Structure formats: structure tokens, C-alpha cells
Amino acid sequence: MSDDKTPIIDPLVKEAWDYLMEVVGDYETFVKNIGNLGYSAPQVMYYRDEVQEGLDDLADSDAVNISGAYQKVVELDAILRKKAQDLVDEIGHKNFIQYQIQNDPPRKNWWWWLNRVTAPPPPPAKLWEFWKYQAFSSSPAPPEPEVPRTEPPKNPEIAKYFKKGSTERPGD
């Protein structure tokens, strides 16, 4: 005899829920390792896409309560916003542009547009200053003075997701 209080969950909904939990866990792993991801750094954006799809798929389901998963994603997104400059530096500004061209993400997926709200990379050394390059010197090169980063460009479409206290849903 079955317990009448046990909810019956559609196997497809259960599979979607299990997948969402797996992807949120992977997203968390990647977000917490920003700065040490190397060539796998772009996976942060792909996992965030998968998380958003999972949240959207289960948003209207009465069988599962996604509020806990949603809260976890909000926390991870806050970490991602704080580490945005590190992620963009790790992937590279020009590589970000290439990923945007390849994937053509919608503007609401703000994580694909982090390069537009972070400072650009410092300019490279001038070619005519060849004596500053390590390959031509017999002693270690003196440390280069740090080039200050400029303020991030103001892009209101993307910057609205970075305002403190933003109450917008992830992916909106």
C-alpha cells in the first residue's frame, strides 16, 4: 500500500530536476575556481546557459520547488559578478568577442557580455622598446610599472545587471 502523501513526480520532471542539480553543482565548481581555470574558463558561460535553461524549464512545474536552486544560482551569480574582471582576463577580451560571434547569445544572458562591463587589457609594450624584452637582456628585466586600468565602458543594457541590490531574476 502506498503512502497517499508521497507526491508522484513525472519521470521527465525528475530527470530535468536531477540534471539541473548536476549543472548547478558544475557551475559552482567553475565559478569558485575562476582565475585557475585555464583553457576551460569559457565553460562558465556554457554552464550558466544550462542552468538558465533548467530554471526556465522547471519554473512552471508544480511538482518541484526550484526556490532553493534559484537562491543558489543568485549567490553564484553574485560571485561571478565580483570575479568578472578575473574571468574576462583569463579568457581574453578578444576571445570573449569571438565567443559572442560564435554563440550569438541574447542580451538577457548577461554572463556572455562581461567583457563590456570590465576594464580593457593594458596596451602591449611598444615594439621599438626592444631592450626591455627579457630575451635581449642578460639580467632579469626590472618590473614594469603597473598600467592603471581605465573605467569600464558604460553599457546600460549590461550594466543594469551589476547594480548593487538588483532584484532581477537570473537571465532576465
Side-chain angles (χ1 to χ4, degrees):
M1 185 170 200
S2 67
D3 184 18
D4 292 340
K5 295 179 184 177
T6 305
I8 298 174
I9 297 176
D10 183 319
L12 292 176
V13 173
K14 170 113 173 69
E15 184 178 344
W17 174 257
D18 291 342
Y19 182 69
L20 175 62
M21 291 297 93
E22 180 182 336
V23 174
V24 168
D26 291 340
Y27 176 55
E28 179 177 20
T29 301
F30 275 94
V31 166
K32 290 187 175 183
N33 287 300
I34 289 174
N36 299 314
L37 295 172
Y39 292 122
S40 65
Q43 294 300 318
V44 171
M45 280 98 64
Y46 292 108
Y47 275 104
R48 184 59 181 85
D49 276 348
E50 289 293 319
V51 167
Q52 191 61 48
E53 284 180 28
L55 289 172
D56 291 345
D57 288 347
L58 294 172
D60 296 329
S61 175
D62 294 333
V64 293
N65 182 356
I66 64 166
S67 62
Y70 175 78
Q71 184 59 36
K72 183 66 174 177
V73 172
V74 168
E75 292 168 10
L76 294 172
D77 285 349
I79 295 170
L80 178 59
R81 285 181 177 101
K82 287 178 188 173
K83 294 183 173 183
Q85 185 69 56
D86 294 334
L87 181 65
V88 172
D89 289 345
E90 191 167 18
I91 293 172
H93 280 264
K94 290 183 180 179
N95 291 341
F96 245 95
I97 294 169
Q98 195 64 32
Y99 283 113
Q100 291 162 356
I101 291 169
Q102 288 174 346
N103 295 290
D104 193 26
R107 296 275 181 185
K108 71 177 186 160
N109 292 3
W110 56 266
W111 49 93
W112 285 100
W113 306 97
L114 291 174
N115 64 320
R116 296 193 179 184
V117 294
T118 58
K126 312 289 188 283
L127 182 61
W128 59 85
E129 295 176 329
F130 61 87
W131 63 87
K132 292 184 178 180
Y133 294 109
Q134 180 68 28
F136 296 109
S137 64
S138 58
S139 62
E144 289 287 327
E146 183 147 336
V147 179
R149 292 188 176 268
T150 59
E151 282 293 313
K154 303 297 184 223
N155 187 331
E157 286 182 32
I158 306 301
K160 69 181 181 181
Y161 295 111
F162 288 81
K163 293 179 182 173
K164 289 191 174 199
S166 178
T167 58
E168 296 194 37
R169 291 183 49 200
D172 283 347

